[in-house]
Amino acid sequence: MDFKFDIEGGNFSKAGAASSDVKKVLKKLNVDPKLIKRIVVSIYEAEVNVVAHAYEGEMNVSIFPDKIIVRIVDKGPGIPDIELAMQKGYSTASPQVREMGFGAGMGLPNIKKNTNELNIKSEVGVGTEIELINYLN
């Protein structure tokens, strides 16, 4: 099963829509609720990162019998120092984003905590690609 979602940078009213849709599909597939929660937390954090930091993005979700692979590609400023960005509390969010309750610097650490495999590629001035893999068994 494959799904594609467009993510609009800056549109916080739609932030979480894609992760909510994925959650509904996983429930219909009778995936363990604890696993669904981990998957949805990681996808939501990645989705909000696109909304908060990028101009636009795309989320591609592939669900297999044994795993789910989520690839999020955005067009945005990129991440200059991935190792630094992985530290809890580090954030480059704007004051406006922080005022809305986002940008606490927990996005990437929460993604890593809630996924089996995390791969990040980023180029400054171009964008970021994140791949999340969670095993369903």
Side-chain angles (χ1 to χ4, degrees):
M1 266 184 198
D2 293 310
F3 302 91
K4 178 184 168 268
F5 304 94
D6 292 322
I7 304 168
E8 185 182 343
N11 189 347
F12 285 93
S13 66
K14 290 188 179 179
S19 48
S20 179
D21 287 349
V22 172
K23 180 179 182 179
K24 290 173 190 169
V25 171
L26 294 174
K27 280 184 172 185
K28 286 181 183 176
L29 294 172
N30 293 316
V31 173
D32 178 356
K34 290 179 185 175
L35 186 53
I36 291 174
K37 183 177 179 181
R38 290 183 64 221
I39 292 167
V40 172
V41 164
S42 63
I43 294 172
Y44 175 80
E45 292 285 8
E47 186 177 357
V48 168
N49 277 349
V50 173
V51 173
H53 299 285
Y55 313 116
E56 64 182 356
E58 181 177 293
M59 179 189 299
N60 292 288
V61 179
S62 297
I63 302 173
F64 302 94
D66 62 333
K67 65 186 170 187
I68 178 172
I69 300 173
V70 180
R71 185 169 289 111
I72 297 139
V73 179
D74 75 40
K75 293 177 183 170
I79 304 170
D81 186 335
I82 293 172
E83 191 174 321
L84 181 60
M86 292 299 296
Q87 294 179 15
K88 289 182 181 178
Y90 177 79
S91 178
T92 59
S94 69
Q96 295 86 356
V97 169
R98 289 175 192 252
E99 286 174 12
M100 288 186 278
F102 298 98
M106 295 305 296
L108 289 176
N110 274 341
I111 292 169
K112 184 176 181 182
K113 176 182 167 187
N114 287 289
T115 193
N116 294 115
E117 292 181 36
L118 170 62
N119 302 300
I120 303 174
K121 290 187 257 180
S122 190
E123 186 177 340
V124 174
V126 176
T128 301
E129 179 178 332
I130 297 178
E131 180 185 62
L132 317 170
I133 301 172
N134 274 299
Y135 299 104
L136 301 177
N137 303 336

